[in-house]
């Protein structure tokens, strides 16, 4: 069964550095999403992407964050000037229509 | 506003018993979905129920939706040790694509 793949599985970064989290969505899917889950808390929506542009974003998704689909397969989340509170699991998801969304295994981001 | 509040927060049962988890939400929805998350892993889609549906089955899973009460339940029958995981409901509202998540129910199946 096709899956969403995310790399790396774990990223450790110094505070203030930039990180890029990578995702390969399911190939025929048209909608892409990023979510995050701070340890012990709810999953939170960050951004959705369709037709090469952001379709929706949450209050969390401020100027520190950006997304890109640099080629036909990858979907990336860039976090600039990382802060301690950015430490979380980041999940990528994709969907053919609006639902259901299929998730990757996540990237655990640790900011030191 | 918060959507998709699950209860109980934790549930521990014997293997073979049925497990029921509930979810409540606040705003109008298109769909309600249930996901499973094994510890440290991703979110696995289990089942989607549309706002015009009342009940749906998939294998050992049974989901109900009561839009008048803004609530849903997930029943896992004949539980197995492998069902041990956290279970989340997520809703997508009529006006947007984002999924709004509850805090989850941590289910432990004792062998």
């Amino acid at each position: 069964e096709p899956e969403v793949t995310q790399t790396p599985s774990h990223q450790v970064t110094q505070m203030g550095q930039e990180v890029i989290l990578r995702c390969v969505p399911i190939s025929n899917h048209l909608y892409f999403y990023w979510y995050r889950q701070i340890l012990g808390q709810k999953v939170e929506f960050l951004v959705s992407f369709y037709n090469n542009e952001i379709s929706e974003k949450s209050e969390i998704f401020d100027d520190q964050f950006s997304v890109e689909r640099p080629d036909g397969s990858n979907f990336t989340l860039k976090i600039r000037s990382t802060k301690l509170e950015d430490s979380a699991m980041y999940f990528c998801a994709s969907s053919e229509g609006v639902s259901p969304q299929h998730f990757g295994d996540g990237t655990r981001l640790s900011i030191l | 506003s918060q959507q998709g509040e699950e209860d109980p927060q934790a549930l521990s049962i014997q293997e073979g018993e049925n497990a029921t988890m509930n979810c409540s939400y606040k705003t109008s929805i298109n769909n309600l979905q249930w996901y499973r998350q094994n510890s440290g892993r991703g979110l696995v889609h289990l089942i989607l129920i549309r706002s015009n549906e009342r009940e749906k089955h998939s294998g050992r899973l049974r989901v109900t939706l009561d839009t008048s009460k803004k609530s849903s339940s997930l029943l896992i029958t004949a539980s197995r040790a492998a069902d041990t995981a956290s279970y989340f409901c997520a809703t997508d509202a009529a006006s947007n694509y984002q999924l709004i998540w509850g805090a989850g129910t941590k289910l432990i199946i004792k062998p």
Side-chain angles (χ1 to χ4, degrees), chain A residues 40-108:
Chain A
Q41 297 188 23
K42 293 184 179 185
V43 177
E44 300 171 291
F45 170 77
L46 293 178
V47 66
S48 60
F49 193 87
Y50 172 71
N51 202 26
N52 287 319
E53 60 182 26
I54 291 174
S55 47
E56 226 177 336
K57 60 182 181 179
S58 70
E59 291 177 353
I60 303 168
F61 194 88
D62 59 19
D63 291 343
Q64 188 193 2
F65 295 87
S66 61
V67 289
E68 201 174 45
R69 189 155 161 80
D71 53 44
S73 58
N74 290 286
F75 179 51
T76 62
L77 174 69
K78 182 187 289 186
I79 310 174
R80 290 177 282 273
S81 302
T82 51
K83 300 173 282 196
L84 294 176
E85 53 265 38
D86 294 327
S87 296
M89 282 289 286
Y90 287 82
F91 293 105
C92 172
S94 69
S95 61
E96 189 173 359
V98 176
S99 290
Q101 295 176 22
H102 297 268
F103 285 75
D105 278 346
T107 292
R108 181 175 300 280

Side-chain angles (χ1 to χ4, degrees), chain A residues 35 37 42 56 99 101 105, chain B residues 2 5 35 41 96-97:
Chain A
Y35 292 82
Q37 185 181 31
K42 293 184 179 185
E56 226 177 336
S99 290
Q101 295 176 22
D105 278 346
Chain B
Q2 295 297 316
E5 301 292 336
Y35 285 81
R41 299 299 303 276
N96 56 45
Y97 306 116

Side-chain angles (χ1 to χ4, degrees), chain A residues 7-54:
Chain A
T7 54
S9 56
H10 191 190
Q11 173 80 45
V12 182
T13 301
Q14 290 289 327
M15 188 170 57
Q17 297 295 305
E18 174 182 287
V19 295
I20 297 177
L21 309 183
R22 302 181 191 280
C23 171
V24 178
I26 295 173
S27 61
N28 64 332
H29 285 186
L30 301 176
Y31 298 82
F32 314 113
Y33 314 84
W34 283 101
Y35 292 82
R36 79 173 184 192
Q37 185 181 31
I38 295 171
L39 185 64
Q41 297 188 23
K42 293 184 179 185
V43 177
E44 300 171 291
F45 170 77
L46 293 178
V47 66
S48 60
F49 193 87
Y50 172 71
N51 202 26
N52 287 319
E53 60 182 26
I54 291 174

